[in-house]
Amino acid sequence: IPPQVRHPGQIADESAMSKHHLTWNESRHRVGIAAIDDQHREIIERVNLIADAVGQSDRHEAVQEMMDDLILFACEHFALEERLMTEYGFPDLEGHIAEHLGLLQQLNNLRDALRTPNPTKAALVSAFITDWAELHILQSDKEIGAFLAARGMR
């Protein structure tokens, strides 16, 4: 399938998977809350570093470390969001916390899948985390940003 008609998560070949990058786009990704936007930029940067590394067979251990770092940073990011949602009375706090827990479980499972070097698995993990980062920002976090902004937070 040509890249221009691929669906999210559907990859034409392994080389395409290892080059799946996100580029911060202010109008597309910005949620309007500076602290959250700063962390989203950092998540995108970390995801792109993983995408670069999975295409290099000698970087297996580095990919493992980067996944560990991404998971730790995701925990920090989710904690910030949950603190703000609690403080401002976000109506679907429990649902969003459940989403965070599910995403962390998926990230842990993906990291575990990379314990044994496997370029195809690594490329699939890279494609997944790239899609995860973008979809979480564009869907769930945009909703939080709009809610918080409506209550005066910037």
Side-chain angles (χ1 to χ4, degrees), residues 27-97:
S27 64
R28 180 173 166 81
H29 295 113
R30 185 175 175 274
V31 300
I33 307 302
I36 293 174
D37 286 331
D38 289 345
Q39 287 187 344
H40 285 164
R41 285 183 194 92
E42 178 71 19
I43 288 169
I44 287 173
E45 184 177 316
R46 289 170 186 251
V47 165
N48 287 339
L49 288 172
I50 292 169
D52 288 340
V54 297
Q56 303 170 22
S57 60
D58 62 335
R59 306 264 339 255
H60 175 72
E61 287 183 25
V63 170
Q64 290 272 281
E65 290 174 18
M66 286 185 264
M67 283 294 295
D68 288 340
D69 290 344
L70 177 63
I71 291 167
L72 288 174
F73 193 78
C75 287
E76 292 174 25
H77 172 65
F78 294 159
L80 170 66
E81 287 183 352
E82 291 168 14
R83 181 180 59 77
L84 293 173
M85 288 186 292
T86 300
E87 185 177 326
Y88 285 84
F90 186 72
D92 190 26
L93 174 64
E94 289 180 17
H96 205 84
I97 289 173

Side-chain angles (χ1 to χ4, degrees), residues 6 9 12 21 27 32-33 40 45 75-76 78 81 92 101 103 105-106 121 124 127-128 144 147:
R6 279 197 320 258
H21 279 87
S27 64
I33 307 302
H40 285 164
E45 184 177 316
C75 287
E76 292 174 25
F78 294 159
E81 287 183 352
D92 190 26
L101 292 173
L103 289 169
Q105 185 61 54
Q106 287 177 317
K121 264 191 204 175
L124 288 169
F128 175 85
I144 294 168
F147 176 84

Side-chain angles (χ1 to χ4, degrees), residues 19 21-22 26 34 54-55 63 73 89 100 112 116-117 120 128 131 134 152:
K19 296 177 181 156
H21 279 87
L22 288 173
E26 194 69 19
V54 297
V63 170
F73 193 78
H100 286 166
D112 291 347
T116 304
T120 302
F128 175 85
D131 286 347
E134 181 148 62

